[in-house]
Amino acid sequence: MSQKQRVEKLVSAGGVVYRDNGGRAEVIICGRASPRTWGLPKGTPNPGESREQTALREVREETGLEVELEGFIGSVEYRFYRSANSVQYDKTVYFYLMSPTGGDLSLHDHEFDEVHWLPVPEALEALTYDNEVKIVEKSLSLVPGEGVSRPDPIG
């Protein structure tokens, strides 16, 4: 007789940080050397933190940049399984559009081996996960001068 599989729900928040570099939009991507992956900065809330606070803190820690929120982009959901504890995780990650206000990429934490600004086409090609590619693509429609609409107000 098989045991019923345990399912846990997880939530994270992060951001698409963008800038205009001579008329070309660039975004931040974060890389790990082993296994080789490229992703967007994101992470788990601390107790009592709002999604927005989590996104700001995680982006600051993982990129070394000070950022400001410009609006909500959307969320992605995915599922993964950890055999070590026989738990299936259903995870939702909430992403916000952000622009840099200070800081330096050299100040990023140990969680990533590399953090880079890349032109959007290169970033889309480099990102490991399709759901994050879609978030970056969606974010472009929210960037002033890059699309036609503004972000949803944060509230």
Side-chain angles (χ1 to χ4, degrees), residues 3 9-10 20 43 49 53 59-60 69 73-74 76 86 98 108 112 129 142-143 150:
Q3 256 185 328
K9 295 194 178 302
L10 299 175
D20 179 321
E49 255 183 349
Q53 290 168 326
V59 168
R60 184 179 63 250
L69 291 176
I73 300 168
V76 298
S86 300
M98 300 178 177
H108 73 87
F112 289 101
Y129 304 106
L142 307 176
V143 175
R150 290 291 302 146

Side-chain angles (χ1 to χ4, degrees), residues 5 7 10 12 61 72 97 110 121 129 144 146 150 154:
Q5 184 176 354
V7 176
L10 299 175
S12 287
E61 291 172 0
F72 179 66
L97 184 66
H110 66 279
Y129 304 106
E146 296 291 332
R150 290 291 302 146
I154 297 167

Side-chain angles (χ1 to χ4, degrees), residues 37-53:
T37 55
W38 289 99
L40 297 172
K42 61 189 171 295
T44 306
N46 288 332
E49 255 183 349
S50 69
R51 289 180 191 149
E52 293 86 354
Q53 290 168 326

Side-chain angles (χ1 to χ4, degrees), residues 8-133:
E8 289 188 22
K9 295 194 178 302
L10 299 175
V11 171
S12 287
V16 174
V17 184
Y18 79 94
R19 71 179 180 187
D20 179 321
N21 187 7
R24 282 183 75 175
E26 294 182 331
V27 295
I28 290 282
I29 64 169
C30 304
R32 289 192 179 98
S34 182
R36 186 49 145 168
T37 55
W38 289 99
L40 297 172
K42 61 189 171 295
T44 306
N46 288 332
E49 255 183 349
S50 69
R51 289 180 191 149
E52 293 86 354
Q53 290 168 326
T54 300
L56 285 167
R57 177 183 53 76
E58 286 290 339
V59 168
R60 184 179 63 250
E61 291 172 0
E62 293 182 356
T63 67
L65 296 178
E66 296 297 325
V67 294
E68 63 183 9
L69 291 176
E70 294 197 6
F72 179 66
I73 300 168
S75 63
V76 298
E77 296 179 5
Y78 57 95
R79 179 174 285 173
F80 62 96
Y81 179 76
R82 290 220 172 108
S83 56
N85 58 1
S86 300
V87 175
Q88 174 183 300
Y89 295 93
D90 291 344
K91 187 166 187 174
T92 304
V93 184
Y94 298 89
F95 284 101
Y96 296 85
L97 184 66
M98 300 178 177
S99 57
T101 60
D104 190 288
L105 294 183
S106 69
L107 303 174
H108 73 87
D109 69 9
H110 66 279
E111 193 165 334
F112 289 101
D113 300 307
E114 302 175 63
V115 178
H116 297 288
W117 285 106
L118 282 181
V120 170
E122 291 174 36
L124 294 174
E125 187 68 31
L127 286 166
T128 302
Y129 304 106
D130 288 342
N131 55 12
E132 291 188 354
V133 168

